Amino acid sequence: MRTDAHSPEPHLADSHDLIRVHGARENNLKDVSVEIPKRRLTVFTGVSGSGKSSLVFDTIAAESQRLINETYSAFVQGFMPTLARPEVDVLDGLTTAISVDQQRMGGDPRSTVGTATDAHAMLRILFSRLGEPHIGPPGAFSFNTPSVKAAGAITVERGAQKAQKVTFSRTGGMCPRCEGRGTVTDLDLAQLYDESLSIAEGAITVPGYKGGGWNSRLYAESGFFDPGKPISRFTKKELHDFLHREPTRMKIAGINMTYEGLIPRIQKSMLSKDKEGMQPHIREFVERAVTFTTCPECDGTRLNEGARSSKIKKISIADACQMEIRDLAEWVRGLAEPSVAPLLTALQHSLDSFVEIGLGYLSLDRPAATLSGGEAQRVKMIRHLGSSLTDVTYVFDEPTIGLHPHDIQRMNDLLLQLRDKGNTVLVVEHKPEAIAIADHVVDLGPGAGTAGGTVCFEGTVEGLRASDTTTGRHLDDRAAIKETVREAAGALEIRGARANNLQGVDVDIPLGVLVVVTGVAGSGKSSLVHGSIPTAEGVVYVDQAPIRGSRRSNPATYTGLLEPIRKAFAKANGVKPALFSANSEGACPTCNGAGVVYTDLGMMAGVSTTCEDCEGKRFQAAVLEYHLGGQDISEVLAMSVTEAEEFFGSGEAHTPAAHKILERLVDVGLGYLSIGQPLTTLSGGERQRLKLATHMGDKGGVYVLDEPTTGLHLADVEQLLGLLDRLVDSGKSVIVIEHHQAVMAHADWIIDLGPGAGHDGGRIVFEGTPADLVDARSTLTGEHLAEYVGA
């Protein structure tokens, strides 16, 4: 027993309680040095584009991931993404980092909420043990596992060799008709070809099959039919060969090729892919030509008859997956079966986590690709809540996205729960309610892009409030409710809407004004707006789906800005426009116009180095000798949007087409972006605003925006409201799905859905002006809005 009254010296191992970052230079960071306390909750704030993600995700989390990958054998590393060391002088005290970002979940049509978590796997085991009648192992309840039967002879070497006949079978749960997708596709033949024309005249209207390419030559030169005869005059056999023929090897123009009917060929090349990943013109064709209908054999459950027939207490696995998760949790709680007690406990915990995190309204059969960014992020969180790991760094990217003010408190509790288990929690966030719970705050800025990248403040929330930084000044901002609202110029009628959880909703959405659709997460907002507003001409959707682009894509290529710039350079110098494209003739031959040379080091991490020939400018030296307004093409692409707007606005470089696009980019608050910056370096909020700028040129009369405040700093929200006002004042109708109280207060008309989520929602609980909503305080939204405006 110790008798000395002196407290023991702290152990050296306990002194490592800081993550130290020195000299971080990723993207726009300017030699940033910070010290982040471990086992605490640190929030990173700052205007959009100030460098928060560059510091948290691209420096701290990326280096932690790279160091972990290096502990694996060289063989295993060969299968992992290769990560380069971030641009930073010192990174000390790192722990294992787990990033929980907002990337939408896999677009595979067979991926569901149940398969993305462990819940579906546990349900399958449960049904394979307790289901009556017993139909087989857990795989028999999986819609991703087909049933297989095989027979053949095997030779058994035992004394005298003799062949034995064996049969092999595996029972899977996949519906044979729709192959576990729940939907079957029908093709509208009129969209595939014009039957009044012959193939030689260009009858095939599928993208990529027009005009003399290999696809159209394959049909024209196959010899199965006369390419000069109109399709309407084909015999039955010729039409079958044209549309449905099995794959056949043949020589066309001296090359061995496989001929296949047009329908199976399109199904393989286009319909088996995720629609979100398609190029816009192909997606448009697929939406026009293909109708998806519920599979008649499995009724959309994805499972074969055997799997649907096995039940526990009159509930099949298909019924269980269709239930809302909170109802399923109650059902599982009622199964007292000692033989599977540990399994039931684990399943119960997993389902309760969904309810705790505010996703109890989802069902396990909900396709993962239909989850919003915020929902996807929270589904990923569920995996970590039950984790036994401690002393881990959890990195979150705006976890409050898609959350009603009512749900933010719940999210805060979860973040604190993770911290209290002994983890370091790093959160990139803009919402004052989420910043309020921080133990430590790091504010980056002062501006965005090149005007940001420095630490403006480090300390407590109180210290931030008192500081004179942009975030500090705006932390207590409260928008006031509009004195007067605009009068509607008409209405968009929705009658009997029943998509997802909507309960026969009838509503008139006023036109010519700013309408905000609000309600708790899962109340049916997206179902109402995306599922019920007819996608007619003139309706422009700007959603949060990520922009798909390679390292070569940049704001100039995405918005179509590069086209007028190339033409202006070509005209000024009397050469062809293709020279001014880094993806075409003007590309530096050494790096093929990428600006960097990527060296693959086999099993080790690859290295990308700036190309020595073009010094990262991406163009051949000869191209850089052509000037417009005293600048070469690489100097123009290095300009910020604001600089480029001035440059193309007047003087020798005056180009109205380019100036118009640049004005729109400034309007949406992206003036700080460099027009040649790779799209892969943009944050989620920046990408959505880039989309908005692109669509502002459309002829649409109705704009539908899905949470445009995503990724926006409090100071930027004002600018967004100004932009929405300008859109409405120019005669457009703007419909916004939003949780941000500043946007609600600024609306002319509010449609509030609820009262709860899932089957407790799906009804209109309020329609009217923001002032009426605050006065009535009859809904959750009304209460929070009243509190926000201080009414």
Side-chain angles (χ1 to χ4, degrees):
M1 187 175 136
R2 297 180 58 155
T3 52
D4 59 332
H6 297 296
S7 58
E9 283 293 306
H11 196 291
L12 187 61
D14 296 330
S15 63
H16 303 283
D17 50 7
L18 289 173
I19 295 176
R20 289 173 43 243
V21 182
H22 279 279
R25 292 180 297 280
E26 273 298 306
N27 299 331
N28 65 335
L29 297 178
K30 297 171 182 162
D31 262 340
V32 165
S33 298
V34 287
E35 293 192 339
I36 299 163
K38 283 191 194 171
R39 293 175 285 283
R40 296 290 180 273
L41 195 150
T42 302
V43 173
F44 293 80
T45 60
V47 295
S48 184
S50 59
K52 305 180 296 298
S53 297
S54 300
L55 177 60
V56 180
F57 284 90
D58 302 344
T59 305
I60 298 171
E63 178 63 354
S64 168
Q65 190 62 60
R66 190 184 71 86
L67 293 172
I68 291 167
N69 286 4
E70 283 189 356
T71 63
Y72 299 119
S73 68
F75 173 73
V76 174
Q77 284 185 49
F79 296 99
M80 291 181 152
T82 50
L83 301 164
R85 187 180 186 280
E87 282 277 309
V88 59
D89 296 334
V90 181
L91 262 178
D92 245 7
L94 285 181
T95 68
T96 307
I98 295 175
S99 296
V100 188
D101 58 18
Q102 294 163 24
Q103 286 298 319
R104 295 280 174 118
M105 296 176 82
D108 187 285
R110 291 204 196 90
S111 178
T112 64
V113 169
T115 59
T117 55
D118 290 337
H120 199 267
M122 291 191 272
L123 261 187
R124 292 200 302 265
I125 299 171
L126 187 68
F127 273 86
S128 71
R129 301 277 175 82
L130 304 182
E132 291 291 333
H134 176 76
I135 59 160
F141 295 92
S142 166
F143 53 76
N144 288 329
T145 309
S147 294
V148 177
K149 286 189 175 64
I154 58 169
T155 307
V156 183
E157 292 193 13
R158 209 185 295 132
Q161 294 185 7
K162 64 169 193 264
Q164 273 186 7
K165 186 90 182 291
V166 292
T167 56
F168 157 79
S169 69
R170 177 182 71 193
T171 309
M174 180 188 282
C175 164
R177 170 82 192 272
C178 64
E179 296 185 339
R181 287 191 170 89
T183 54
V184 287
T185 54
D186 286 327
L187 279 165
D188 177 0
L189 297 182
Q191 299 290 348
L192 305 189
Y193 58 83
D194 178 347
E195 63 171 16
S196 65
L197 300 176
S198 69
I199 287 173
E201 291 167 335
I204 306 177
T205 53
V206 180
Y209 286 71
K210 301 172 197 171
W214 274 113
N215 281 333
S216 56
R217 281 184 70 180
L218 184 67
Y219 291 94
E221 299 177 26
S222 65
F224 293 121
F225 33 76
D226 175 1
K229 182 160 86 171
I231 295 177
S232 57
R233 302 214 334 252
F234 276 15
T235 63
K236 251 187 178 172
K237 183 177 183 318
E238 285 174 330
L239 194 60
H240 178 270
D241 284 341
F242 172 49
L243 291 178
H244 302 286
R245 193 180 175 96
E246 298 289 309
T248 311
R249 294 292 290 165
M250 60 194 314
K251 257 197 168 66
I252 290 182
I255 298 169
N256 284 328
M257 293 184 78
T258 301
Y259 175 89
E260 189 174 15
L262 186 62
I263 288 176
R265 200 176 155 96
I266 290 172
Q267 279 175 327
K268 281 180 193 161
S269 64
M270 294 181 186
L271 306 189
S272 59
K273 294 195 175 115
D274 166 29
K275 228 161 54 171
E276 287 304 313
M278 295 174 181
Q279 291 168 291
H281 68 290
I282 292 181
R283 186 188 315 162
E284 202 181 309
F285 160 74
V286 169
E287 283 170 352
R288 223 179 34 241
V290 180
T291 50
F292 291 90
T293 49
T294 304
C295 171
E297 209 157 295
C298 66
D299 204 17
T301 60
R302 305 159 179 256
L303 293 161
N304 59 25
E305 203 178 334
R308 299 197 308 273
S309 67
S310 181
K311 299 188 175 182
I312 303 174
K313 290 192 171 176
K314 298 183 180 170
I315 295 282
S316 71
I317 191 165
D319 301 331
C321 289
Q322 283 171 346
M323 283 184 191
E324 287 195 6
I325 290 174
R326 53 186 164 192
D327 299 338
L328 180 60
E330 285 308 310
W331 180 74
V332 170
R333 203 169 268 121
L335 298 178
E337 189 60 52
S339 62
V340 286
L343 175 66
L344 286 172
T345 309
L347 179 58
Q348 189 66 59
H349 181 271
S350 177
L351 297 173
D352 286 343
S353 300
F354 274 98
V355 179
E356 219 176 289
I357 208 165
L359 293 178
Y361 60 88
L362 293 179
S363 58
L364 293 183
D365 66 357
R366 168 87 175 257
T370 63
L371 297 179
S372 68
E375 285 171 335
Q377 190 177 27
R378 283 177 284 154
V379 166
K380 291 176 198 169
M381 268 181 92
I382 285 169
R383 296 182 196 156
H384 305 302
L385 283 175
S387 166
S388 322
L389 292 171
T390 62
D391 245 334
V392 173
T393 301
Y394 284 101
V395 187
F396 291 96
D397 188 5
E398 285 197 68
T400 57
I401 280 186
L403 287 183
H404 188 268
H406 174 69
D407 299 316
I408 290 179
Q409 185 55 49
R410 222 180 223 165
M411 175 57 75
N412 284 349
D413 293 344
L414 290 167
L415 294 173
L416 294 171
Q417 208 176 310
L418 279 173
R419 176 200 67 185
D420 295 345
K421 276 174 68 176
N423 298 309
T424 307
V425 181
L426 309 181
V427 184
V428 173
E429 192 49 89
H430 293 291
K431 293 260 171 82
E433 303 95 319
I435 297 171
I437 61 164
D439 300 310
H440 188 73
V441 180
V442 177
D443 187 32
L444 285 124
T450 49
T454 58
V455 174
C456 301
F457 172 83
E458 260 190 286
T460 61
V461 179
E462 284 312 308
L464 175 68
R465 194 169 267 125
S467 73
D468 194 31
T469 66
T470 310
T471 310
R473 286 196 299 275
H474 287 275
L475 205 54
D476 294 318
D477 273 7
R478 293 292 179 265
I481 285 197
K482 271 205 303 223
E483 300 276 316
T484 56
V485 294
R486 300 179 183 92
E487 285 295 315
L492 196 65
E493 291 186 9
I494 293 175
R495 294 289 176 266
R498 297 192 180 279
N500 299 329
N501 67 330
L502 296 178
Q503 301 179 15
V505 169
D506 295 338
V507 65
D508 291 341
I509 299 179
L511 293 175
V513 296
L514 175 60
V515 179
V516 172
V517 180
T518 183
V520 295
S523 58
K525 302 180 298 299
S526 298
S527 303
L528 179 69
V529 174
H530 293 293
S532 309
I533 292 179
T535 50
E537 282 298 305
V539 178
V540 176
Y541 285 97
V542 185
D543 61 8
Q544 293 180 15
I547 292 173
R548 297 182 185 264
S550 66
R551 286 193 297 190
R552 289 173 175 274
S553 313
N554 53 45
T557 57
Y558 182 77
T559 56
L561 169 65
L562 201 54
E563 197 59 33
I565 292 179
R566 282 202 300 257
K567 284 180 180 163
F569 263 96
K571 193 175 170 190
N573 294 284
V575 291
K576 54 183 175 179
L579 281 176
F580 301 99
S581 165
N583 296 329
S584 185
E585 290 181 31
C588 159
T590 314
C591 62
N592 290 330
V596 292
V597 175
Y598 188 78
T599 315
D600 188 3
L601 300 177
M603 292 299 184
M604 293 155 65
V607 178
S608 58
T609 49
T610 305
C611 171
E612 289 179 7
D613 285 11
C614 67
E615 295 172 349
K617 290 180 178 172
R618 303 172 60 188
F619 293 90
Q620 296 172 18
V623 174
L624 299 180
E625 285 172 15
Y626 298 116
H627 288 82
L628 175 68
Q631 305 283 331
D632 66 41
I633 183 75
S634 73
E635 288 167 333
V636 168
L637 289 175
M639 288 178 179
S640 72
V641 168
T642 317
E643 291 166 355
E645 189 202 9
E646 278 177 37
F647 180 71
F648 288 108
S650 57
E652 191 195 326
H654 180 58
T655 313
H659 186 252
K660 201 180 213 171
I661 296 172
L662 288 159
E663 269 184 332
R664 286 190 214 125
L665 288 169
V666 171
D667 266 355
V668 296
L670 293 178
Y672 60 88
L673 281 188
S674 146
I675 60 175
Q677 182 178 336
L679 284 188
T680 47
T681 62
L682 301 189
S683 69
E686 287 168 338
R687 289 177 191 181
Q688 194 188 11
R689 282 178 289 151
L690 188 59
K691 271 189 191 175
L692 179 58
T694 312
H695 286 306
M696 275 169 67
D698 293 358
K699 295 283 183 283
V702 179
Y703 281 78
V704 179
L705 308 183
D706 193 352
E707 286 196 64
T709 58
T710 298
L712 282 190
H713 187 266
L714 299 158
D716 299 326
V717 172
E718 290 172 26
Q719 188 174 1
L720 177 79
L721 293 175
L723 171 69
L724 297 180
D725 277 344
R726 282 202 299 283
L727 275 173
V728 174
D729 294 339
S730 70
K732 313 279 189 198
S733 302
V734 180
I735 301 167
V736 185
I737 298 175
E738 192 50 90
H739 294 292
H740 202 295
Q741 292 102 320
V743 182
M744 293 182 206
H746 199 73
D748 297 310
W749 192 258
I750 285 187
I751 296 172
D752 191 17
L753 282 110
H759 55 55
D760 295 340
R763 293 191 291 277
I764 304 276
V765 288
F766 176 84
E767 288 178 81
T769 63
D772 293 343
L773 178 64
V774 168
D775 290 344
R777 295 193 193 207
S778 57
T779 69
L780 277 170
T781 308
E783 283 172 29
H784 283 280
L785 186 58
E787 199 180 309
Y788 173 82
V789 296

Short mmCIF file of all heavy atoms in Angstrom, two decimals, residues 561-598:
data_model
loop_
_atom_site.label_atom_id
_atom_site.label_comp_id
_atom_site.label_asym_id
_atom_site.label_seq_id
_atom_site.Cartn_x
_atom_site.Cartn_y
_atom_site.Cartn_z
N LEU A 561 -17.74 27.14 -70.59
CA LEU A 561 -17.03 28.42 -70.73
C LEU A 561 -15.82 28.30 -71.67
O LEU A 561 -15.46 29.25 -72.36
CB LEU A 561 -16.57 28.86 -69.33
CG LEU A 561 -15.60 30.02 -69.20
CD1 LEU A 561 -16.27 31.30 -69.69
CD2 LEU A 561 -15.17 30.20 -67.75
N LEU A 562 -15.22 27.10 -71.69
CA LEU A 562 -14.00 26.94 -72.48
C LEU A 562 -14.25 27.11 -73.97
O LEU A 562 -13.38 27.57 -74.71
CB LEU A 562 -13.39 25.56 -72.19
CG LEU A 562 -11.91 25.40 -72.51
CD1 LEU A 562 -11.08 26.48 -71.82
CD2 LEU A 562 -11.40 24.04 -72.09
N GLU A 563 -15.47 26.76 -74.39
CA GLU A 563 -15.80 26.82 -75.82
C GLU A 563 -15.63 28.24 -76.38
O GLU A 563 -14.85 28.45 -77.31
CB GLU A 563 -17.24 26.31 -76.01
CG GLU A 563 -17.61 25.93 -77.42
CD GLU A 563 -16.73 24.83 -78.02
OE1 GLU A 563 -16.25 23.93 -77.27
OE2 GLU A 563 -16.49 24.91 -79.22
N PRO A 564 -16.34 29.27 -75.82
CA PRO A 564 -16.14 30.63 -76.34
C PRO A 564 -14.72 31.15 -76.16
O PRO A 564 -14.21 31.92 -76.98
CB PRO A 564 -17.15 31.47 -75.56
CG PRO A 564 -17.63 30.65 -74.43
CD PRO A 564 -17.41 29.22 -74.81
N ILE A 565 -14.04 30.69 -75.07
CA ILE A 565 -12.65 31.15 -74.86
C ILE A 565 -11.76 30.62 -75.97
O ILE A 565 -10.94 31.34 -76.55
CB ILE A 565 -12.13 30.70 -73.46
CG1 ILE A 565 -12.89 31.44 -72.36
CG2 ILE A 565 -10.63 30.93 -73.34
CD1 ILE A 565 -12.48 31.06 -70.95
N ARG A 566 -11.92 29.32 -76.30
CA ARG A 566 -11.10 28.72 -77.36
C ARG A 566 -11.34 29.44 -78.69
O ARG A 566 -10.41 29.73 -79.44
CB ARG A 566 -11.44 27.24 -77.51
CG ARG A 566 -10.83 26.35 -76.46
CD ARG A 566 -10.74 24.92 -76.94
NE ARG A 566 -12.04 24.35 -77.27
CZ ARG A 566 -12.69 23.49 -76.49
NH1 ARG A 566 -12.17 23.11 -75.35
NH2 ARG A 566 -13.85 22.99 -76.86
N LYS A 567 -12.63 29.69 -78.95
CA LYS A 567 -12.96 30.35 -80.23
C LYS A 567 -12.37 31.75 -80.29
O LYS A 567 -11.89 32.20 -81.34
CB LYS A 567 -14.48 30.39 -80.42
CG LYS A 567 -15.05 29.04 -80.81
CD LYS A 567 -16.55 29.08 -80.98
CE LYS A 567 -17.08 27.71 -81.38
NZ LYS A 567 -18.52 27.61 -81.17
N ALA A 568 -12.40 32.47 -79.16
CA ALA A 568 -11.86 33.84 -79.13
C ALA A 568 -10.35 33.80 -79.39
O ALA A 568 -9.82 34.63 -80.15
CB ALA A 568 -12.16 34.48 -77.78
N PHE A 569 -9.64 32.86 -78.77
CA PHE A 569 -8.20 32.72 -78.99
C PHE A 569 -7.92 32.38 -80.45
O PHE A 569 -7.01 32.93 -81.07
CB PHE A 569 -7.63 31.61 -78.08
CG PHE A 569 -7.03 32.13 -76.80
CD1 PHE A 569 -7.77 32.16 -75.63
CD2 PHE A 569 -5.73 32.59 -76.77
CE1 PHE A 569 -7.21 32.64 -74.45
CE2 PHE A 569 -5.16 33.07 -75.59
CZ PHE A 569 -5.91 33.10 -74.42
N ALA A 570 -8.73 31.45 -80.99
CA ALA A 570 -8.52 30.99 -82.37
C ALA A 570 -8.72 32.15 -83.35
O ALA A 570 -7.93 32.36 -84.27
CB ALA A 570 -9.47 29.85 -82.69
N LYS A 571 -9.77 32.94 -83.10
CA LYS A 571 -10.09 34.05 -84.00
C LYS A 571 -9.00 35.11 -83.94
O LYS A 571 -8.56 35.65 -84.97
CB LYS A 571 -11.44 34.65 -83.58
CG LYS A 571 -12.04 35.59 -84.61
CD LYS A 571 -13.43 36.02 -84.15
CE LYS A 571 -13.95 37.14 -85.02
NZ LYS A 571 -15.17 37.71 -84.46
N ALA A 572 -8.52 35.41 -82.72
CA ALA A 572 -7.51 36.47 -82.55
C ALA A 572 -6.18 36.08 -83.20
O ALA A 572 -5.41 36.95 -83.60
CB ALA A 572 -7.32 36.75 -81.07
N ASN A 573 -5.93 34.76 -83.29
CA ASN A 573 -4.62 34.33 -83.79
C ASN A 573 -4.67 33.63 -85.15
O ASN A 573 -3.65 33.18 -85.65
CB ASN A 573 -3.96 33.39 -82.77
CG ASN A 573 -3.63 34.10 -81.48
OD1 ASN A 573 -2.67 34.86 -81.42
ND2 ASN A 573 -4.44 33.90 -80.45
N GLY A 574 -5.89 33.50 -85.70
CA GLY A 574 -6.03 32.88 -87.02
C GLY A 574 -5.62 31.42 -87.06
O GLY A 574 -5.06 30.95 -88.05
N VAL A 575 -5.88 30.68 -85.95
CA VAL A 575 -5.57 29.24 -85.93
C VAL A 575 -6.84 28.49 -85.50
O VAL A 575 -7.86 29.11 -85.23
CB VAL A 575 -4.40 28.92 -84.95
CG1 VAL A 575 -3.09 29.45 -85.46
CG2 VAL A 575 -4.71 29.46 -83.56
N LYS A 576 -6.76 27.14 -85.42
CA LYS A 576 -8.01 26.43 -85.09
C LYS A 576 -8.20 26.28 -83.57
O LYS A 576 -7.22 26.18 -82.82
CB LYS A 576 -8.05 25.07 -85.79
CG LYS A 576 -6.88 24.17 -85.58
CD LYS A 576 -7.11 22.92 -86.41
CE LYS A 576 -5.90 22.01 -86.32
NZ LYS A 576 -6.07 20.81 -87.08
N PRO A 577 -9.48 26.27 -83.14
CA PRO A 577 -9.78 26.24 -81.70
C PRO A 577 -9.20 25.02 -80.97
O PRO A 577 -8.87 25.12 -79.79
CB PRO A 577 -11.32 26.21 -81.65
CG PRO A 577 -11.77 26.73 -82.96
CD PRO A 577 -10.71 26.36 -83.95
N ALA A 578 -9.07 23.86 -81.66
CA ALA A 578 -8.62 22.63 -80.97
C ALA A 578 -7.24 22.80 -80.32
O ALA A 578 -6.89 22.08 -79.39
CB ALA A 578 -8.58 21.46 -81.96
N LEU A 579 -6.46 23.77 -80.80
CA LEU A 579 -5.12 23.99 -80.22
C LEU A 579 -5.21 24.46 -78.77
O LEU A 579 -4.29 24.28 -77.99
CB LEU A 579 -4.36 25.06 -81.04
CG LEU A 579 -3.73 24.60 -82.34
CD1 LEU A 579 -3.11 25.78 -83.07
CD2 LEU A 579 -2.65 23.54 -82.08
N PHE A 580 -6.35 25.10 -78.41
CA PHE A 580 -6.45 25.67 -77.08
C PHE A 580 -7.17 24.75 -76.10
O PHE A 580 -7.72 25.18 -75.10
CB PHE A 580 -7.13 27.05 -77.16
CG PHE A 580 -6.37 27.98 -78.06
CD1 PHE A 580 -6.76 28.19 -79.38
CD2 PHE A 580 -5.19 28.58 -77.62
CE1 PHE A 580 -6.03 28.99 -80.22
CE2 PHE A 580 -4.46 29.40 -78.46
CZ PHE A 580 -4.86 29.61 -79.77
N SER A 581 -7.19 23.46 -76.43
CA SER A 581 -7.75 22.47 -75.51
C SER A 581 -6.64 21.56 -75.02
O SER A 581 -5.89 21.00 -75.82
CB SER A 581 -8.81 21.63 -76.24
OG SER A 581 -9.09 20.48 -75.47
N ALA A 582 -6.56 21.41 -73.69
CA ALA A 582 -5.52 20.53 -73.12
C ALA A 582 -5.91 19.07 -73.27
O ALA A 582 -5.16 18.18 -72.90
CB ALA A 582 -5.31 20.87 -71.65
N ASN A 583 -7.12 18.81 -73.79
CA ASN A 583 -7.54 17.42 -74.02
C ASN A 583 -7.49 17.09 -75.51
O ASN A 583 -7.94 16.05 -75.93
CB ASN A 583 -8.98 17.19 -73.52
CG ASN A 583 -9.07 17.37 -72.02
OD1 ASN A 583 -8.11 17.11 -71.32
ND2 ASN A 583 -10.20 17.87 -71.55
N SER A 584 -6.96 18.03 -76.31
CA SER A 584 -6.99 17.82 -77.75
C SER A 584 -5.62 18.17 -78.34
O SER A 584 -4.60 17.85 -77.74
CB SER A 584 -8.11 18.68 -78.35
OG SER A 584 -8.24 18.44 -79.72
N GLU A 585 -5.62 18.88 -79.46
CA GLU A 585 -4.36 19.08 -80.19
C GLU A 585 -3.32 19.91 -79.46
O GLU A 585 -2.13 19.80 -79.72
CB GLU A 585 -4.66 19.73 -81.56
CG GLU A 585 -5.38 18.76 -82.50
CD GLU A 585 -5.65 19.41 -83.86
OE1 GLU A 585 -4.85 20.26 -84.27
OE2 GLU A 585 -6.66 19.05 -84.47
N GLY A 586 -3.78 20.80 -78.56
CA GLY A 586 -2.81 21.69 -77.92
C GLY A 586 -2.11 21.09 -76.72
O GLY A 586 -1.26 21.72 -76.10
N ALA A 587 -2.47 19.84 -76.37
CA ALA A 587 -1.94 19.23 -75.13
C ALA A 587 -0.44 19.04 -75.19
O ALA A 587 0.13 18.71 -76.24
CB ALA A 587 -2.62 17.89 -74.91
N CYS A 588 0.21 19.25 -74.05
CA CYS A 588 1.65 18.97 -73.93
C CYS A 588 1.85 17.47 -74.16
O CYS A 588 1.21 16.66 -73.49
CB CYS A 588 2.13 19.38 -72.54
SG CYS A 588 3.65 18.58 -72.05
N PRO A 589 2.71 17.07 -75.09
CA PRO A 589 2.83 15.64 -75.41
C PRO A 589 3.42 14.81 -74.26
O PRO A 589 3.15 13.62 -74.15
CB PRO A 589 3.75 15.61 -76.64
CG PRO A 589 4.44 16.94 -76.66
CD PRO A 589 3.55 17.91 -75.94
N THR A 590 4.20 15.44 -73.39
CA THR A 590 4.84 14.68 -72.30
C THR A 590 3.82 14.20 -71.27
O THR A 590 3.83 13.06 -70.84
CB THR A 590 5.93 15.54 -71.61
OG1 THR A 590 6.71 16.16 -72.61
CG2 THR A 590 6.80 14.70 -70.70
N CYS A 591 2.92 15.12 -70.85
CA CYS A 591 1.95 14.75 -69.81
C CYS A 591 0.55 14.57 -70.37
O CYS A 591 -0.41 14.40 -69.62
CB CYS A 591 1.93 15.80 -68.70
SG CYS A 591 1.42 17.43 -69.29
N ASN A 592 0.42 14.62 -71.72
CA ASN A 592 -0.89 14.51 -72.38
C ASN A 592 -1.90 15.52 -71.87
O ASN A 592 -3.10 15.23 -71.75
CB ASN A 592 -1.46 13.09 -72.22
CG ASN A 592 -0.68 12.10 -73.04
OD1 ASN A 592 -0.14 12.45 -74.09
ND2 ASN A 592 -0.57 10.88 -72.55
N GLY A 593 -1.40 16.68 -71.51
CA GLY A 593 -2.31 17.76 -71.10
C GLY A 593 -2.81 17.66 -69.67
O GLY A 593 -3.72 18.38 -69.28
N ALA A 594 -2.22 16.77 -68.86
CA ALA A 594 -2.68 16.64 -67.47
C ALA A 594 -1.95 17.61 -66.55
O ALA A 594 -2.39 17.88 -65.44
CB ALA A 594 -2.48 15.21 -66.98
N GLY A 595 -0.79 18.11 -66.98
CA GLY A 595 -0.01 19.03 -66.14
C GLY A 595 0.89 18.33 -65.16
O GLY A 595 1.81 18.92 -64.61
N VAL A 596 0.61 17.03 -64.91
CA VAL A 596 1.46 16.24 -64.02
C VAL A 596 1.79 14.92 -64.69
O VAL A 596 1.03 14.43 -65.53
CB VAL A 596 0.77 15.94 -62.66
CG1 VAL A 596 0.59 17.20 -61.84
CG2 VAL A 596 -0.56 15.25 -62.86
N VAL A 597 2.94 14.38 -64.33
CA VAL A 597 3.32 13.06 -64.84
C VAL A 597 3.15 12.10 -63.67
O VAL A 597 3.72 12.30 -62.60
CB VAL A 597 4.78 13.05 -65.34
CG1 VAL A 597 5.19 11.65 -65.75
CG2 VAL A 597 4.94 14.02 -66.49
N TYR A 598 2.33 11.08 -63.88
CA TYR A 598 2.05 10.12 -62.80
C TYR A 598 2.94 8.90 -62.99
O TYR A 598 2.90 8.24 -64.01
CB TYR A 598 0.57 9.72 -62.84
CG TYR A 598 0.18 8.90 -61.64
CD1 TYR A 598 -0.04 9.51 -60.41
CD2 TYR A 598 0.08 7.51 -61.72
CE1 TYR A 598 -0.37 8.76 -59.30
CE2 TYR A 598 -0.25 6.76 -60.61
CZ TYR A 598 -0.48 7.39 -59.39
OH TYR A 598 -0.79 6.66 -58.28
#
